Amino acid sequence: MSSSENVFAEVIEVAKFIDEFRGHYFALPSYQEKIDLLKDQIEHALEKLDAIPIEKRESQDEAAMYLYLRGKLLDVSPAYNQEAERLLTDAVKLNSSVVDAWICLGTCVWKRGDLDKAKSCFNSGLEQDPNNKQLLLQLSVLERRQCIGETEVENPVEIINDCIKHVKEAITLDIQDGISWYILGNACLTAYFVTGCWDINMLLQSLKAYKNALKDERMKLSSHMCYNCAMTYKYFEDYETALSGFEAAELLDPDLNGLEQAFNLYEILEGINSFLQDLNGSPTSSLPTVESLASSLASVDLNPTYEKATVNRLIEGPNLSKAVTGKVLFSVKNPSEIPIYYVVCDSDRTCFVITVYGVRSTAIKEEDQVTLLDPFYHIFDFESRGKHYQFKSLRIDFMEQLRVNGAIVSPEHVIHRSMYPQLKEA
């Protein structure tokens, strides 16, 4: 090989190491710390590139390779680099077949917020190599970001479906890659929120993907995955596992605020415990309230296919074609606002908790009458940090399952996507 080819080959190896290090070195809590560790190698690689005489990079392919590698090295920092964008743009103009140059240009313009151009770059790269795992993953992550960004998109459902499709294609190329499974877990959790369906099956798919990710030993050091997995368990209402996950994420990286999430969840559980203990502890001010509210329940007109029931007549899990009506006694504070929690009593004077997804806290007020169609019933009974939590709960995922004072919830009470929880990503 010529001397310039030797230098290009050497710098390409440095670039590969950068990709591997940046993508998988989870032990460091700070992204910037990773960049600092790479700084010397990057500076050395840049010196080697710039030492190549101009006459040795006059051919179109060599010029494109020089521009691409220099742009890639300059763009390692988390901050946007204008010079890197210029170099990478010139590189793909000279040689559009360099797939990694399209990846680098896409991530570069992404840093300055131009998601549309970034997506165009990734698609251009896929035209050159339809089975490029890295491109498919980058495109999937970008599409997920489009769905949760500040700018409204016209077709979030279509975009999140494409997001899931692209990451699944990447998984078929390398089924053992934990990063791919992790990105799928994030995509499914986001789909749970942005599709408007609040389909619990999406949470199950998310958890399955995260579990597959953990088969890759590298992912066991990922604080981001630990945090997002805990978030999924939280919305799946496996509170005991969620609390453990948030606390584990805190140990891996305190900057993720896992402990704050754990405290918020403890606050919700403590609020539920406090209200139920008050109701069962025989203070004279509480019992007449349950009695009077339960006796004031009005008849509700329902589709005849529904059977009216009380909580004690339900079975664990989904209760299709069952309708439970109750009066709201208390609202339970939730710092994250999703879901909304209430303590409710039915006509049997049984007190239980309802969790409602997809609507604002303004949709239901204390002393409102609620009817829950096809509710998911679960009895919680677990200990955490020496505290015992035991209560009955009904989960409502779809607005169509909810009637408030006999009426369907109006659109102004539907949550805006700005309220969706933010996932953590390296």
Side-chain angles (χ1 to χ4, degrees), residues 200-215:
I200 198 169
N201 288 320
M202 276 296 173
L203 293 180
L204 288 169
Q205 290 184 46
S206 180
L207 288 174
K208 181 180 178 181
Y210 288 140
K211 288 176 182 177
N212 281 325
L214 285 172
K215 294 176 184 178

Side-chain angles (χ1 to χ4, degrees), residues 237 239 269 272-273 275-277 279-280 310-317 319 324 332 341-346 348-355 372 375-382 388-396:
E237 297 186 8
Y239 299 131
L269 294 169
I272 291 170
N273 256 12
F275 286 129
L276 292 177
Q277 287 172 4
L279 290 170
N280 296 324
T310 55
V311 167
N312 291 330
R313 292 171 56 193
L314 300 179
I315 60 172
E316 282 263 358
N319 286 262
V324 175
V332 181
Y341 294 83
Y342 295 95
V343 175
V344 177
C345 67
D346 63 15
D348 285 346
R349 281 69 173 168
T350 301
C351 295
F352 56 97
V353 175
I354 65 169
T355 55
L372 314 172
F376 189 97
Y377 177 51
H378 183 63
I379 299 174
F380 289 92
D381 189 355
F382 68 95
H388 186 209
Y389 301 101
Q390 185 176 34
F391 55 92
K392 299 174 180 180
S393 175
L394 299 187
R395 175 193 183 106
I396 294 296

Side-chain angles (χ1 to χ4, degrees), residues 228-251:
N228 294 344
C229 190
M231 188 70 74
T232 308
Y233 275 114
K234 171 187 171 182
Y235 289 104
F236 193 63
E237 297 186 8
D238 183 344
Y239 299 131
E240 188 174 11
T241 306
L243 288 167
S244 298
F246 285 131
E247 290 169 354
E250 178 74 15
L251 291 175

